[in-house]
Amino acid sequence: MAKRKTNEAGSSTGHRADVLRVLGVLKSATADQIQRLSSPHLTYRHTTKDTAAEQKEARTASHRGALNDLRRHGLSVDGGRITQPQLPRPSAGRRRAEVAPPW
């Protein structure tokens, strides 16, 4: 099978549009936040997975792929990881995506 050249992560136009819409409002968000805001009906998907981490991984995979494709096109940037005491699980850093600066 040939490798995709334009969107290597295999994201759909709809998921990329969801990501851009959410980042247009929030400027910075995790893949989980993007999924919950743009596709709240998917929140209860993959409930047959054993752990909450596996459920979240499966639920946000499509939006993470869209973020990776947008990063490759220069439309978003990786905001790094955040570990702050006010997070529900301080030991688990969360990856944030941000809108790429216009320059």
Side-chain angles (χ1 to χ4, degrees):
M1 182 183 282
K3 184 95 170 156
R4 293 175 188 231
K5 292 189 173 140
T6 54
N7 297 310
E8 293 181 19
S11 65
S12 67
T13 302
H15 283 118
R16 289 190 304 275
D18 287 346
V19 169
L20 289 174
R21 257 188 249 117
V22 171
L23 290 179
V25 173
L26 296 181
K27 305 296 183 221
S28 178
T30 64
D32 187 47
Q33 290 168 333
I34 291 169
Q35 181 270 314
R36 288 175 185 269
L37 289 170
S38 64
S39 305
H41 60 284
L42 297 179
T43 302
Y44 301 104
R45 214 168 153 193
H46 304 291
T47 55
T48 59
K49 302 285 184 190
D50 292 334
T51 64
E54 289 176 349
Q55 291 172 8
K56 181 179 169 185
E57 177 79 20
R59 192 179 67 238
T60 61
S62 56
H63 287 94
R64 281 185 288 109
L67 277 167
N68 286 334
D69 285 337
L70 291 171
R71 275 189 210 112
R72 285 187 186 100
H73 292 294
L75 297 173
S76 72
V77 293
D78 185 1
R81 293 186 171 270
I82 294 178
T83 54
Q84 296 175 354
Q86 67 265 26
L87 290 176
R89 293 178 11 205
S91 62
R94 293 185 178 163
R95 255 193 131 80
R96 287 209 175 268
E98 297 178 354
V99 177
W103 54 91

